[in-house]
Structures are given as structure tokens and as C-alpha cells.
Amino acid sequence: MRATLLSLLFAGGCLASFGQDAAPGTPIPDKGQSLLTEQPGSAPVGAQPRGTAAACAPATALRNLEWNNVRALVENGGSLWYNRSIDKGAYIVPKEAGVSVVYGGALWLAGISPDQQLKLAAARYRNNGNDFWPGPLTNDGAAEVDEATCSAYDKFSITERQDAMRHRQYFDCAADPTCDLDTEFPEGYAIPTSFFDYPAHGNVALQQDYYLAPFYDYDGDGNYDPTLGDYPWYDFLQEIDCGNRRREDRVPLYGDQTYYWIFNDKGNVHTESLGEPIGMEIRAQSFAFSTNDEINNMTFCNYVLINQGTQTLTNTYFGSWVDADLGCYNDDYVGCDVQRGLGYCYNGDANDENCGANGYGENPPAVGVDFFEGPYQDSDGVDNPLTAGFTDAVDSLGIPYRGIGIGYGDGVIDNERYGMRKFLYYNWSSGIDGQPSQSVHYYNYMRGFWKNGQRMAYGGNGITETSGANLDIAADYMYPGNTDPFSWGTVGQQVEPWTEQTAGNPAADRRFIQAAGPFTLEPGDFNNITVGVVWARASAGDPAADRRVSSWWRLLPHPLSPATPPQAGVADTQRLTAEHR
């Protein structure tokens, strides 16, 4: 199973280098006191949008990615998996069953400018505002976009790996005097229409980057022209050297089918987060593989992020926000696997009833969202280690678990990449652990703080001593079970396993954030992050259920030592999140 996933993803260009995380024990400002807090009688830093903005209309393009056993709604405006027209989750697995396992997902980005202003862009459901709009930004430092550009890019480019391979075969044959086109292509060949709509180039007259979507330059002239053999670039020739990847290297297309789009955070005023814009251009792809195993129940998203502005941002975080409604939304638990950089959601009992949303019934599945690839760690001129020594990892800015890092201890300097640095959940409420309503709330959540600036504590509900939280132990990861044997997320302090069950929480409606950082985001910097959604279901009374569940977790190709999170104690469904190996 692992070999299957590895072969698929390596063929897509190094995406199999899954999972990475900065050292949660590394001394940084947020370990003690919140960098940004709310003060009575005054607005938090970055709470109100300022300055001028373009007048782009909200994105309208949306499509269902349904190449395999999943039907996942994708939108151009930064949000995923939510159907606003009917107020329902739109990540359906199996796609014919009509039951959604996720209610929504989105990208969160934030950092601090040199004048100590919070710059932030985030999306959720897009019911009450927008922080993202279609199209590329100018590369002159102003990071601007106009209404015409936003409108022109309010769409998806949909391509397939098999089309790119066929295209390459045709032009290879045409260039080979020993290859007979009539034999190899007896019905002739027509270039797919999607190749002509592919956004390979920006408008340099508008000061956009000339190279946008990745393409293979078959004739080597630097320009995209499918009639000369060029095609949307899937790395099926495996030309990428995965061991020497750098942030400036172009990212190819992944998957068997790929939806590609470009969006930004400067198209208008940020009415979702109320944050000040960053000047970020995002080149996104959502993709899937069609297989005969569990990968057929998975989808992925990759984001290439370019800081087109002139300001250097520090204490920067990228986050993946997920509202994981597992069928019925009011009976769920969440947790995380620290060693794999994985957040997950599972049902609170063995029966997922209907509750305004369709439930899965008996033996419901679990869903995991894996932070496969994150931003680059700040350069320091060394190969930061992968080491089981806690002190060594902290002092050397390394990591203790292979599954939460890329490039650590591989002999290559400054190719290290973060993974899930923080995992935090919040409720559908207005409390300090409820819905964010100001930009500082989003930023605090990404950094492991509650809305009021209180550090997340280990145990209980992470907030109050009466719930069982130890306020003397700061926690980077909520509900990790026993997946953190080196106490990495508690700065080396030994703790007991912590789950929603041990905390005595009632099952309810949950949403969570996985974040990576902190790092420095320089003008012109390229980063790319990848998240994937994993789904599995066991059958009651099936003696092979545990083995099938274990194989699901093994899809995350991290050669770790065995690790088992806490038992949920409620029938086979809890094994979906409780048993890794």
C-alpha cells in the first residue's frame, strides 16, 4: 500500500516527501506570552482593514473534483468543500452516497510587518466576507490587481495526466524517424482544448509574472505553445531531483486529474478576517488519483505562495482550516497525530445519525487531514537534524519525528520544511474558544493561543483548570493522545495522554486549524504547502477491520516506529483514529 502511494506521488514530482514540522520546542516569542492580545477599550493590532484596495467582485467559479470515489467542491475564492447554495458540506465519500465528511476548508496566512502591523488573509465559508479574489498580482512590489484581471481568472483550468502523456508521445513519435504516426496514432491526434486555455503565462504589460502555471517547454523556446509540443507539466518523466529541491524550484502538476487556479489577497478589502492584506499570490491545484485501493478515497491540495509585496513579514504562519463535520455535525470528536502531522475527526459513538445533515449510520468512518508539505524553515547555514534527542533537536532547530519534517538530517543545507507546528480546535460559539471575529483571533489560533491571547494549555479543554487543563504547561497540539512520546509539543514536560474522551468532552460540532511556522517571509519569496484528505471506514464484526484501518494510516508514508493514540473505547469506529499500526 505504501509503495503504491509513493510511486504515484513520486511520479508527480517529489510530493511523496510528506509531512514536516518546526520544532515545537524551539524557543520563539509565542512560547510564553501572546504577541498580539486584545486590550479592553482598544482594537487589537490589525483588527480593521486600512488603505485602498482594488474593487474586484467575489469569486464565483466552483467545480466538483470527482475523479475517484470522492466528490469535492472546489472554489476559486480560497474556500473548499462547502456548498453555500444549500448550506451543506460538499466533500462526499463515497461520492454516490450523498454523505459529506467535511463541511468546509480554507487557507490561512499571517505575519507581522516591520511596523508591527498584523498582515493576514483567511477564508472560511465566505458567507459574511472575502479575503481572496481571482488572478495574479503585479510583481513590481505594489502587488496590485484590477477588476478585469480578477474577472478573467475567475475560472479553473482542468487537465489530466494521461492527456499530457499522450501529447508527449505524439510529438516524440513525430520527431523520431523510426516511429510511424499512422501506426501509433491510427485515428490521428487532436490537442486537448484544455491545453489552449492553460494559464501558462501572465501579461507582462500588466507587470505580471510571465511564467504562471507550470508547463513543459518541449521545444525549449521559453514560450508555451501546445502546437509545438509544450504541455501542462506533470513530471511523469521523473526529472525532478527530490533530494535537492529548493524553494525557487517550480512545482509541477500532481494527480491523475488536476484543477488549477490562481488567486490573491489584494483584490478588495478583507471583509472575512478584517485583516490588512499581505500581497500574496497563490497558485493552487486540487488533484486526485484513481486507483483500486484507499488512495481512491483521497484528494489533495497544493498551494504555491508568492509574496509579491515589498514588506518582510516575521513570525509568519500558514494554516489549514477545516470544519470536519463527519456526516451528522453534532456528535464528533477531533484529535491529532503529532508524529505524522495529521489532524483527524471521528464520531463520538458507533452510530452517526441524521441531524439536519445525512449521517453515515452504524460504524461511521473517520477523516484525516494531513499537513504533508509546509513552508521552508529560515535559512541558518546548517543541515538541521532529525534526532530523538530532545535537547539536541531544540538547540539545533531540528525535529524528533521523521513524519513532521522534510529535509532534516539529509545532508543538504537549508532545505528544511515545516509541517504541523500547531493543532487547535474551536467551537461554534462566541467564547474565547469560539468563532474568530477579528484578525488577531485568526492569528492567535494559528499560533496556539485562544482568542483573548491566553496560551493553549495541556489537558482538559486547554483553557481552565476546572476542566483539567494544567495552565503551567503550554501545549502546541490539542488532543494528541500518546503520539508525542518525546513530549515535543510540551517543551519536554512529561504528560499523560490527552484526548477528548480523557477530557470528558461531550461530542459536538468541531473545527480545527493545523498551522506551520514561525518563519520569515521575504519579498519575492516562494513557498508551497500541500494538504491531503484521507478517509476510511471499518465494518462491524469484520476481523480484517483493524488491519484495513492500519493500512489507511500507513498510507502516510512516514517510516516511524509504532505509535498508537489513545483508545476511544467506543466500538470499531474508534479504531479508525485509535490504531495506527
Side-chain angles (χ1 to χ4, degrees):
M1 185 63 64
R2 178 182 298 170
T4 302
L5 184 64
L6 285 170
S7 63
L8 281 169
L9 297 178
F10 271 121
C14 300
L15 187 59
S17 300
F18 286 157
Q20 58 294 314
D21 191 356
T26 302
I28 56 175
D30 67 5
K31 280 296 180 184
Q33 184 175 355
S34 173
L35 180 63
L36 299 175
T37 59
E38 298 177 48
Q39 301 297 326
S42 65
V45 175
Q48 298 298 327
R50 304 186 307 188
T52 60
C56 291
T60 60
L62 68 165
R63 294 290 296 267
N64 279 311
L65 175 67
E66 45 187 335
W67 185 252
N68 53 21
N69 197 36
V70 180
R71 183 167 72 248
L73 186 67
V74 181
E75 291 196 77
N76 190 295
S79 58
L80 302 165
W81 315 322
Y82 172 60
N83 189 336
R84 276 189 308 283
S85 65
I86 58 174
D87 189 28
K88 298 290 185 182
Y91 193 95
I92 313 296
V93 195
K95 63 184 178 184
E96 305 302 332
V99 184
S100 181
V101 72
V102 178
Y103 188 72
L107 186 66
W108 290 10
L109 318 166
I112 305 299
S113 67
D115 59 354
Q116 294 301 296
Q117 294 297 307
L118 173 61
K119 305 289 185 176
L120 185 140
R124 288 183 295 165
Y125 313 102
R126 296 183 59 215
N127 283 325
N128 300 313
N130 292 275
D131 279 17
F132 296 112
W133 296 266
L137 298 174
T138 61
N139 58 15
D140 59 353
E144 294 178 338
V145 65
D146 57 33
E147 295 172 67
T149 298
C150 287
S151 178
Y153 280 85
D154 191 8
K155 61 184 180 180
F156 294 95
S157 174
I158 303 175
T159 57
E160 296 176 13
R161 175 191 297 269
Q162 62 187 8
D163 287 342
M165 296 177 69
R166 185 68 168 164
H167 187 79
R168 175 67 185 242
Q169 291 166 356
Y170 176 82
F171 279 88
D172 280 351
C173 183
D176 183 355
T178 66
C179 183
D180 183 5
L181 283 174
D182 292 334
T183 300
E184 297 298 325
F185 295 84
E187 299 180 2
Y189 175 70
I191 298 174
T193 57
S194 62
F195 284 19
F196 294 103
D197 296 329
Y198 190 65
H201 295 306
N203 188 338
V204 294
L206 296 178
Q207 296 181 300
Q208 298 168 1
D209 285 351
Y210 184 59
Y211 296 108
L212 295 177
F215 68 94
Y216 192 93
D217 190 10
Y218 189 83
D219 63 339
D221 68 352
N223 304 304
Y224 177 72
D225 185 348
T227 66
L228 298 179
D230 302 339
Y231 54 88
W233 182 35
Y234 294 87
D235 187 32
F236 47 78
L237 299 179
Q238 300 188 39
E239 295 176 328
I240 295 176
D241 181 0
C242 299
N244 289 287
R245 294 285 288 168
R246 290 291 187 267
R247 69 167 68 227
E248 62 272 14
D249 292 343
R250 289 204 303 152
V251 176
L253 298 179
Y254 300 118
D256 291 335
Q257 185 185 56
T258 312
Y259 287 21
Y260 190 94
W261 71 107
I262 301 172
F263 62 105
N264 68 82
D265 83 318
K266 285 290 292 292
N268 213 316
V269 174
H270 288 199
T271 51
E272 160 68 32
S273 69
L274 304 181
E276 290 202 37
I278 298 170
M280 191 72 77
E281 179 179 316
I282 301 108
R283 303 171 188 175
Q285 54 177 302
S286 184
F287 57 96
F289 298 94
S290 179
T291 70
N292 59 4
D293 55 25
E294 288 89 340
I295 300 168
N296 206 50
N297 296 323
M298 301 170 66
T299 67
F300 306 83
C301 289
N302 172 269
Y303 303 96
V304 175
L305 305 112
I306 307 111
N307 180 8
Q308 298 283 25
T310 59
Q311 290 188 318
T312 296
L313 301 185
T314 57
N315 290 302
T316 308
Y317 286 81
F318 291 167
S320 173
W321 169 83
V322 178
D323 185 344
D325 289 355
L326 190 72
C328 175
Y329 55 83
N330 62 16
D331 61 352
D332 295 337
Y333 284 131
V334 297
C336 73
D337 184 325
V338 177
Q339 296 183 56
R340 288 176 173 83
L342 176 76
Y344 53 80
C345 175
Y346 55 103
N347 213 61
D349 57 30
N351 186 22
D352 185 42
E353 302 90 350
N354 295 337
C355 64
N358 292 332
Y360 276 97
E362 294 184 354
N363 307 304
V367 63
V369 180
D370 196 292
F371 211 124
F372 288 151
E373 295 181 311
Y376 283 86
Q377 183 169 302
D378 289 350
S379 298
D380 57 6
V382 301
D383 176 26
N384 306 104
L386 169 67
T387 173
F390 179 86
T391 301
D392 183 31
V394 171
D395 292 343
S396 302
L397 302 180
I399 56 171
Y401 308 126
R402 185 180 302 276
I404 55 171
I406 292 177
Y408 293 85
D410 65 353
V412 180
I413 293 173
D414 289 337
N415 68 335
E416 297 84 8
R417 299 179 63 178
Y418 287 139
M420 189 178 72
R421 169 77 176 180
K422 299 287 192 295
F423 177 88
L424 178 147
Y425 91 94
Y426 68 86
N427 292 305
W428 187 273
S429 69
S430 59
I432 67 170
D433 61 346
Q435 298 277 16
S437 59
Q438 299 173 347
S439 58
V440 70
H441 297 162
Y442 294 84
Y443 189 53
N444 278 349
Y445 276 161
M446 281 191 280
R447 296 166 50 251
F449 287 85
W450 300 110
K451 286 166 53 177
N452 66 346
Q454 177 182 333
R455 189 68 165 90
M456 184 170 69
Y458 195 89
N461 62 7
I463 302 173
T464 63
E465 288 183 313
T466 55
S467 74
N470 186 336
L471 302 186
D472 294 326
I473 301 179
D476 287 336
Y477 305 100
M478 289 197 78
Y479 307 128
N482 63 355
T483 67
D484 186 13
F486 299 138
S487 300
W488 187 238
T490 53
V491 200
Q493 297 190 67
Q494 297 297 311
V495 290
E496 295 296 319
W498 179 29
T499 70
E500 291 228 54
Q501 285 87 357
T502 64
N505 295 344
D509 187 7
R510 300 283 193 255
R511 50 211 46 78
F512 61 78
I513 302 97
Q514 299 160 283
F519 61 96
T520 303
L521 185 67
E522 300 280 357
D525 268 1
F526 277 66
N527 260 297
N528 79 89
I529 62 176
T530 305
V531 296
V533 183
V534 191
W535 181 97
R537 189 175 194 174
S539 300
D542 181 354
D546 289 351
R547 293 194 296 273
R548 293 208 320 271
V549 171
S550 295
S551 72
W552 173 52
W553 293 97
R554 289 192 183 99
L555 286 173
L556 311 175
H558 308 317
L560 305 176
S561 57
T564 305
Q567 292 291 333
V570 281
D572 285 341
T573 56
Q574 301 311 321
R575 297 192 187 101
L576 291 170
T577 55
E579 296 185 9
H580 288 201
R581 293 187 181 271

